[in-house]
Amino acid sequence: MAEIEELSACEATLEMLRQAKELEQETAFDRVEQQKGCAFGEAGSCCRICNMGPCRINPKKPEESRGVCGATMDTIVARNFARMVCGGASAHSDHGRAVAETLILAAKGEAKDYEIKDRIKLLEVAADLGVEIGDRDINDIALEVGERCLAMFGQQEGELAFAQRAPEPRKEIWRQLGVFPRGIDREVVELMHRTSIGVDQDYENILMACARTALADGWGGSMVGTELQDILFQTPVPLESKVNLGVLKEDEVNIIVHGHEPILSEMIVLAASLPEMQEKAKAVGAKGINLAGICCTANEVLTRHGVPIAGNVLQQELALLTGAVEAMVVDVQCVYQGIGQIASCLHTDIITTSPKAKMPYARHIEFHEDHALDIAKEIVSAAIENFPKRGKVRIPDVQESLIAGFNHEYINYMLGGRFRASYRPLNDGVIDGRIRGVVGVVGCNNPRVKHDDIHVRVVKELIANGCLVVMTGCAAQSVAKAGLMLPEVAREICPQGLWEICEAVGIPPVLHCGSCVDNSRILIACTAMVHEGGLGDDISELPVAGCAPEWMSEKAIAIGEYFVASGVYTVFGVKWPTMGSKNVTDFLFKKYGELFKNTWDFEPDPEKMVGKILSHIDSKREALGIMAKRERVLFDMAMRRELEI
Ligand code: BF8
């Protein structure tokens, strides 16, 4: 194993990695060393879609071999990429579907523990979907909104309703290219079909279908998830909280909610706050119940309730090694199988709750919306019962404050006020150069690179170079841990112009915008910038970019693909999964530029990644005629040390 200090930029993580070593417990940081990868897999040139293989094409001699069926390197690489898009789109969209089903049950009165918390958002979404409002009962409107959204999954033809929110020129591009998404499930199923043995063998055709499927995620499944969660649980507003393993408490029952769907975690938050549960905790000698989150569930309950974040995806095993977690309650996605093994050596219960996701060493308490609070109380009670069984506890004394909960609605309100909501000051700030551009920094952690380090370096340099940064997912948590989601910290590196805007509007230069399905919020914000005027007619003309410096999940590929197909230049780090085929990579990195007006890009080095993003932003400013010459701020080692937070 590499030196522990080289593995993470996060102090709490390093402390727990030392603890793992002492306890001889294995984590993802060890397993990554055992899994060296193989050249074919890395090139995307290993085909396992039928039983004649596996077939592997040598990336150094792609012309010299073919799969048993005759598939070329280009076809195999494109199919593998497409199946990543399908996997990612499925994950986001199945999450969105679950929220739509919950909204319907709530509106019918069949899920009595849920209610419509954000009526304004409901009416806005209803209007966008063409649902009649009039003087109808709020639950009737919610029922129709829920049913319309659920119908988007099985829609067979026509155009997805939420995709109509995109700027007109963008929709025209999709229509002309034949990639306007029809139904969410339809696009995923069709692409899975097209990439099975002996179907679509034209890599260009496959890559166009990738765009259509990903758009069905971004402007469909993910957007359904975000919008309906806001309706059911309230659109977030900025609030302050804490992040990192130090949020766990030695004298309280610690429950970690982990996974993605707030349908479950909202109820756990409610159950844990009930006096009867608090009393139960006191009866076993605890001072109370402390809830914390991991991964995107953490972002959901943070932005709506201020529940602190224990850590991001690579900290899930480490959180257990504190010995202070009575239960880790999981639903779907990004839950490492490794946590079961670790928990089996501790008093901790891993509690699985979804019939879609069970695991060894876990206790299964199945969650059902129709008696959600009762089940949540059962889960919280199970955690409380574990408290007296605790052994030795070691919680790193490391935590940071952050402000989170930003979104399109809040930015609109803060910039223009309740009665004249507007993006005008933001657009004006971009036009006059105080804001150089807006960059979405999103995605996961990946133990193939130094944990958190690349996120923090990229974001610091972007701010120092005048960019407003919007963040979601585990990336947001990395940067929050470094203190950059506090205005007073970010101010230190923020140029005067950007800071003036942030101060006037009351935002930090790094905005925590939620979970990974909430990347759909960024699509809406980009569209609002276009509609405000002065920055071109389409998303592709805006001085904006996206990046995922430490990505690992198929979901990140689906997100990147829908950003590119929506006109946003998007750079990924770590490794790029189509390198085996020059044709496929060129199609994504060059040809997409002609088709979608912006492209994918790949750059693992954080400084070069920022360089590419700034060049792109400047080229857009140039094209808009708003370019003012400026020097790039490059961080030398002395500056970095000074900024060490
Ligand atoms: O959906 S950022 S590791 S937690 S995949 Fe997973 Fe990646 Fe984290 Fe959320 Ni998104």
Side-chain angles (χ1 to χ4, degrees):
M1 189 171 172
E3 286 298 312
I4 284 182
E5 279 61 34
E6 294 304 309
L7 299 179
S8 175
C10 163
E11 272 308 312
T13 297
L14 295 177
E15 185 176 334
M16 292 320 296
L17 284 173
R18 286 182 212 110
Q19 167 86 338
K21 203 171 176 189
E22 276 169 33
L23 298 175
E24 296 182 351
Q25 286 281 2
E26 183 190 87
T27 70
F29 291 89
D30 302 293
R31 293 187 294 268
V32 74
E33 294 283 319
Q34 299 154 16
Q35 295 295 338
K36 289 290 180 204
C38 89
F40 303 102
E42 282 189 15
S45 67
C46 174
C47 183
R48 292 181 51 253
I49 63 173
C50 83
N51 201 31
M52 295 191 287
C55 297
R56 306 184 307 175
I57 313 290
N58 183 348
K60 291 196 180 121
K61 299 173 190 162
E63 307 300 336
E64 287 183 14
S65 61
R66 290 178 166 225
V68 175
C69 70
T72 61
M73 175 68 112
D74 295 341
T75 307
I76 290 171
V77 170
R79 281 175 177 163
N80 285 334
F81 183 78
R83 288 193 164 207
M84 292 183 88
V85 172
C86 285
S90 302
H92 292 138
S93 300
D94 212 33
H95 168 169
R97 185 200 329 266
V99 185
E101 287 170 341
T102 307
L103 179 64
I104 290 170
L105 287 175
K108 285 180 174 168
E110 292 171 13
K112 61 179 175 17
D113 301 320
Y114 298 94
E115 57 180 346
I116 311 304
K117 289 226 177 99
D118 194 333
R119 292 174 175 228
I120 295 173
K121 182 82 182 236
L122 172 65
L123 298 182
E124 283 167 2
V125 173
D128 279 359
L129 294 175
V131 171
E132 193 196 321
I133 296 172
D135 54 3
R136 293 173 76 194
D137 180 83
I138 205 78
N139 282 320
D140 288 345
I141 299 170
L143 178 59
E144 194 174 338
V145 165
E147 284 173 342
R148 294 267 190 115
C149 287
L150 196 59
M152 285 184 206
F153 292 87
Q155 189 176 320
Q156 297 303 317
E157 51 191 33
E159 299 178 342
L160 263 188
F162 278 152
Q164 298 299 341
R165 293 167 156 186
E168 281 307 323
R170 182 56 29 188
K171 290 189 283 186
E172 238 356 90
I173 288 172
W174 295 340
R175 286 183 191 118
Q176 277 171 18
L177 295 174
V179 299
F180 208 116
R182 294 159 293 184
I184 301 160
D185 291 354
R186 168 156 200 171
E187 302 309 349
V188 174
V189 170
E190 184 178 306
L191 190 51
M192 284 303 287
H193 171 205
R194 285 165 68 155
T195 54
S196 62
I197 166 76
V199 189
D200 201 347
Q201 296 158 27
D202 177 339
Y203 74 89
E204 297 188 358
N205 209 34
I206 294 170
L207 297 176
M208 294 310 287
C210 288
R212 194 175 205 177
T213 305
L215 289 169
D217 172 1
W219 297 87
S222 283
M223 204 170 275
V224 167
T226 294
E227 299 295 75
L228 302 195
Q229 282 169 189
D230 283 355
I231 291 170
L232 271 173
F233 308 128
Q234 189 70 50
T235 305
V237 290
L239 44 72
E240 193 172 343
S241 188
K242 300 276 182 194
V243 57
N244 219 338
L245 293 170
V247 305
L248 297 174
K249 294 191 177 153
E250 207 160 333
D251 50 5
E252 297 195 18
V253 173
N254 289 303
I255 302 176
I256 291 184
V257 284
H258 172 20
H260 282 76
E261 297 175 358
I263 302 163
L264 162 74
S265 48
E266 282 281 325
M267 283 300 131
I268 303 280
V269 173
L270 179 58
S273 70
L274 295 174
E276 60 182 279
M277 289 293 133
Q278 295 288 338
E279 286 311 315
K280 247 188 186 179
K282 284 183 187 141
V284 297
K287 280 204 172 137
I289 302 169
N290 181 43
L291 265 191
I294 293 245
C295 284
C296 281
T297 282
N299 291 328
E300 300 282 3
V301 289
L302 162 76
T303 57
R304 295 195 177 88
H305 301 283
V307 171
I309 297 176
N312 45 20
V313 65
L314 270 176
Q315 290 177 285
Q316 56 187 290
E317 292 170 303
L318 307 179
L320 300 183
L321 290 172
T322 61
V325 179
E326 275 58 56
M328 185 176 269
V329 188
V330 305
D331 55 10
V332 290
Q333 300 172 27
C334 302
V335 177
Y336 288 176
Q337 192 162 345
I339 60 171
Q341 181 70 46
I342 292 178
S344 70
C345 308
L346 297 162
H347 76 303
T348 312
D349 269 338
I350 303 294
I351 302 180
T352 53
T353 56
S354 168
K356 295 174 200 166
K358 297 187 179 179
M359 57 195 286
Y361 300 109
R363 174 173 177 185
H364 190 69
I365 303 180
E366 198 153 300
F367 191 74
H368 296 281
E369 290 79 357
D370 54 357
H371 51 298
L373 187 56
D374 288 341
I375 297 168
K377 284 201 258 181
E378 187 186 339
I379 291 169
V380 172
S381 298
I384 293 170
E385 281 159 24
N386 279 344
F387 183 78
K389 302 178 208 158
R390 252 194 208 176
K392 220 169 141 214
V393 165
R394 174 172 168 181
I395 301 172
D397 185 18
V398 182
Q399 57 180 304
E400 186 51 89
S401 299
L402 81 159
I403 297 178
F406 295 95
N407 48 53
H408 157 71
E409 286 81 357
Y410 182 78
I411 294 170
N412 207 20
Y413 165 66
M414 276 310 290
L415 291 172
R418 183 181 294 276
F419 300 107
R420 275 190 314 115
S422 155
Y423 268 56
R424 197 66 256 158
L426 176 66
N427 280 27
D428 285 346
V430 174
I431 292 165
D432 68 25
R434 283 183 292 171
I435 299 174
R436 186 168 183 170
V438 182
V439 184
V441 183
V442 307
C444 325
N445 297 119
N446 186 328
R448 300 260 173 220
V449 295
K450 186 173 176 181
H451 171 235
D452 288 349
D453 184 56
I454 306 186
H455 286 137
V456 174
R457 287 164 66 182
V458 164
V459 169
K460 277 183 179 173
E461 290 218 26
L462 286 171
I463 307 170
N465 283 284
C467 294
L468 181 66
V469 177
V470 292
M471 302 196 72
T472 59
C474 292
Q477 298 168 353
S478 299
V479 168
K481 284 188 279 172
L484 291 166
M485 287 183 178
L486 287 174
E488 58 273 26
V489 175
R491 180 184 187 169
E492 299 293 313
I493 44 175
C494 201
Q496 184 62 22
L498 175 59
W499 181 249
E500 279 168 16
I501 302 251
C502 291
E503 206 173 26
V505 177
I507 54 173
V510 189
L511 303 179
H512 188 310
C513 297
S515 67
C516 287
V517 290
D518 292 334
N519 284 310
S520 62
R521 297 191 195 278
I522 300 176
L523 295 176
I524 297 294
C526 287
T527 303
M529 286 177 78
V530 171
H531 287 154
E532 191 58 52
L535 291 171
D537 297 324
D538 178 38
I539 294 172
S540 60
E541 294 176 59
L542 296 170
V544 304
C547 65
E550 299 183 25
W551 75 281
M552 64 87 193
S553 168
E554 292 170 324
K555 291 183 280 175
I557 288 289
I559 291 166
E561 179 74 9
Y562 73 64
F563 267 102
V564 174
S566 299
V568 179
Y569 168 74
T570 302
V571 200
F572 271 36
V574 194
K575 287 185 289 185
W576 181 251
T578 71
M579 284 308 191
S581 164
K582 186 174 180 318
N583 284 337
V584 168
T585 307
D586 281 353
F587 199 84
L588 297 169
F589 289 21
K590 293 180 185 154
K591 185 72 180 176
Y592 265 18
E594 288 168 33
L595 303 168
F596 295 108
K597 311 295 174 207
N598 269 316
T599 67
W600 275 102
D601 207 343
F602 166 63
E603 180 51 70
D605 179 277
E607 271 130 55
K608 289 185 188 155
M609 178 182 275
V610 172
K612 284 186 166 192
I613 289 170
L614 293 177
S615 307
H616 171 78
I617 282 174
D618 288 350
S619 73
K620 293 293 163 183
R621 298 188 65 88
E622 193 89 56
L624 288 165
I626 56 170
M627 185 62 183
K629 195 169 158 34
R630 59 169 96 209
E631 296 299 319
R632 173 166 175 205
V633 179
L634 273 170
F635 278 27
D636 58 20
M637 281 318 289
M639 286 169 83
R640 281 213 175 88
R641 270 194 297 275
E642 209 167 289
L643 287 170
E644 225 43 74
I645 297 155

